[in-house]
Amino acid sequence: MHHKNLIFFVLLCQVRRLAAAAAAVAVLAIAAAQASTAGGIASGKSLAMERSKGNCLACHRIEDGKLPGTIGPPLVAMKLRYPERAALKQQICDATIRNPDSRMPPFCRHGILTEDEVEQIVDYLYTL
Amino acid sequence: MKNYAALLLLGLAPLLSLAGPEEDREAFVEYYQARFPDVPFAEFANGIYAIDEDARRQWQDIEEFPPYEFAIEQGESLWHETMPDEAKLADCFAQPVADIRPAYPRFDAGRGEVVTLALAINHCRQAHRLPALPYDSDELISITAYLAYAARGKPVATRVPADEPGALAAYEDGKRFYYSKRGQLNFACADCHVTSVGLHVRADRLSASLGHTTHFPVYRSKLGAVISLHQRFFGCVRDVRAKPFALQSKEFRNLEYFLSYMGNGLEFNGPGARK
């Protein structure tokens, strides 16, 4: 009986240690995931601002961006106005789908931005 | 509903079938006048200064000591130089000096193409055993600066003769160019200078295309140089990341023909000064 209990106790400890280790790994993983999202947001922001990339600021007012253009509507409250990520992505990738005469460049269709870069810009826009 | 559609068709049909250069021009002018009801028609010869008070004040300061004066002087002395056979440039032109600039661009039926002032000057040189000047050269641009200055106050009166099918074709070609989307950024000239007129691209405010040709060549303070209209076309085409066209290419000459016609009735006021 005693013996059995001891074995049980040891097993329990092992399990706890494993669980702790697993928890630690999970925390690390979450931290890593958060870090990459924060990185995605930062790089999305610079992709949106850079003249040679999105240059969205040429036409849209965006929070603290300097000397914004006024050709398109201000980019604000994006989550509210674009609850669907796919719709926002489509507007950036090819604005002419929604409006054939759009003055907004079709960023993916004309190879100005990659889909991956647009994903990062969308991450950033959802913080606005 | 059906009635509406019929009315719409009835209303539009005459516009569509009649639309020639003169109807195009009237619609062009009306658009800008509706957009800027306080701006008198004649003011559109002044580009962005017609609609932007701050820019206008800075321009008036600049005009106290015109930065294009040197180009006019250089152009005047080149105008009076004799060519190897003793002829002068003026000998090639039938008009008094003040009427030369307003005579271009014109459709030359014999050549079957639009001839611009820069082209006519080079034709003259070549007829008198001189090589053509490069279209971005100081010499050629200053000769056009002198002729622009001599023509100040004359009305723009571009002609697309009805009995000359080639002229209408060239005009239509220029018009198509103006309204076609191009380049990686997918912009037509009209996207910026018609639909977005008065709005900002970053810090730059967009001028109306009505009057775009009246004041060239232009001193650009950004470049510290006097540039031709085609150099400006070149810059706008490059900025939309499109295939560039050569200065004085057929495409740009036809574009100039179309835009000059749109500006009919404004006054020549070159050379100009811009940012």
Side-chain angles (χ1 to χ4, degrees):
Chain A
M1 223 19 202
H2 256 125
H3 199 66
K4 263 190 183 164
N5 274 347
L6 189 66
I7 289 176
F8 185 73
F9 180 67
V10 169
L11 267 177
L12 196 71
C13 289
Q14 294 280 60
V15 169
R16 277 206 185 136
R17 211 176 305 138
L18 270 176
V25 167
V27 166
L28 277 176
I30 289 167
Q34 275 172 348
S36 86
T37 314
I41 290 170
S43 64
K45 179 171 183 173
S46 57
L47 285 167
M49 304 291 186
E50 264 173 56
R51 276 167 207 269
S52 63
K53 284 295 187 176
N55 201 12
C56 317
L57 202 56
C59 298
H60 297 279
R61 189 158 60 70
I62 314 174
E63 52 170 23
D64 53 355
K66 297 278 180 306
L67 296 173
T70 52
I71 292 173
L75 297 180
V76 292
M78 298 310 289
K79 258 218 173 94
L80 197 70
R81 297 192 303 133
Y82 281 87
E84 271 188 68
R85 191 175 172 100
L88 181 52
K89 197 178 158 195
Q90 180 193 293
Q91 173 67 26
I92 303 171
C93 271
D94 190 354
T96 65
I97 295 174
R98 204 181 61 163
N99 169 12
D101 294 327
S102 181
R103 280 162 291 156
M104 176 159 155
F107 286 98
C108 299
R109 183 159 63 81
H110 277 196
I112 307 166
L113 295 170
T114 64
E115 303 245 343
D116 190 51
E117 288 171 324
V118 171
E119 294 286 356
Q120 296 173 46
I121 290 178
V122 169
D123 284 342
Y124 165 62
L125 292 183
Y126 274 146
T127 68
L128 299 176
Chain B
M1 268 317 274
K2 264 192 184 143
N3 281 345
Y4 268 125
L7 272 179
L8 213 69
L9 276 178
L10 277 178
L12 287 179
L15 270 181
L16 291 177
S17 55
L18 282 180
E22 195 49 21
E23 289 75 19
D24 289 349
R25 190 191 65 78
E26 281 164 13
F28 206 71
V29 172
E30 265 168 37
Y31 171 84
Y32 289 115
Q33 297 241 271
R35 195 76 182 248
F36 304 102
D38 299 335
V39 175
F41 171 72
E43 266 301 316
F44 283 98
N46 291 321
I48 194 61
Y49 311 131
I51 59 175
D52 190 303
E53 264 310 308
D54 283 348
R56 188 183 185 89
R57 255 186 312 256
Q58 289 170 25
W59 170 52
Q60 281 160 346
D61 287 346
I62 290 171
E63 287 284 339
E64 304 253 325
F65 301 98
Y68 45 75
E69 215 153 52
F70 178 74
I72 297 173
E73 282 162 20
Q74 189 191 7
E76 181 169 16
S77 62
L78 288 169
W79 183 254
H80 293 297
E81 265 179 17
T82 50
M83 292 186 273
D85 60 2
E86 299 300 311
K88 292 182 176 184
L89 283 172
D91 300 339
C92 293
F93 295 86
Q95 310 86 341
V97 69
D99 293 330
I100 295 175
R101 168 69 187 94
Y104 297 89
R106 55 183 281 270
F107 187 80
D108 184 317
R111 303 179 64 94
E113 63 175 352
V114 170
V115 174
T116 59
L117 179 58
L119 217 63
I121 292 168
N122 266 343
H123 290 162
C124 179
R125 286 174 57 91
Q126 287 168 314
H128 293 279
R129 291 187 280 123
L130 278 179
L133 289 167
Y135 289 110
D136 59 355
S137 63
D138 283 350
E139 291 94 329
L140 186 53
I141 291 172
S142 40
I143 295 169
T144 65
Y146 167 64
L147 293 174
Y149 187 67
R152 275 194 178 184
K154 297 270 177 183
V156 179
T158 319
R159 292 184 56 244
V160 181
D163 57 354
E164 190 48 71
L168 188 59
Y171 167 90
E172 291 290 347
D173 186 61
K175 176 178 162 187
R176 204 173 315 115
F177 190 108
Y178 184 80
Y179 289 103
S180 297
K181 288 195 176 273
R182 67 186 67 246
Q184 196 186 31
L185 297 185
N186 208 40
F187 283 124
C189 313
D191 283 333
C192 283
H193 294 290
V194 178
T195 322
S196 309
V197 61
L199 302 179
H200 286 88
V201 186
R202 295 244 183 191
D204 289 321
R205 206 154 171 213
L206 292 162
S207 60
S209 273
L210 177 57
H212 258 174
T213 68
T214 59
H215 54 287
F216 276 85
V218 146
Y219 177 86
R220 297 275 316 269
S221 41
K222 185 175 128 189
L223 306 171
V226 179
I227 67 158
S228 71
L229 178 63
H230 289 214
Q231 284 174 299
R232 183 47 121 151
F233 289 168
F234 189 94
C236 283
V237 169
R238 182 200 50 213
D239 287 351
V240 304
R241 303 183 195 159
K243 168 176 162 274
F245 297 89
L247 309 178
Q248 299 299 328
S249 59
K250 192 167 202 143
E251 289 82 359
F252 279 176
R253 277 181 284 129
N254 290 347
L255 177 62
E256 175 175 345
Y257 194 41
F258 165 72
L259 280 179
S260 300
Y261 193 95
M262 292 299 103
N264 274 358
L266 293 170
E267 282 185 2
F268 283 105
N269 56 348
R274 297 289 186 276
K275 201 159 72 164

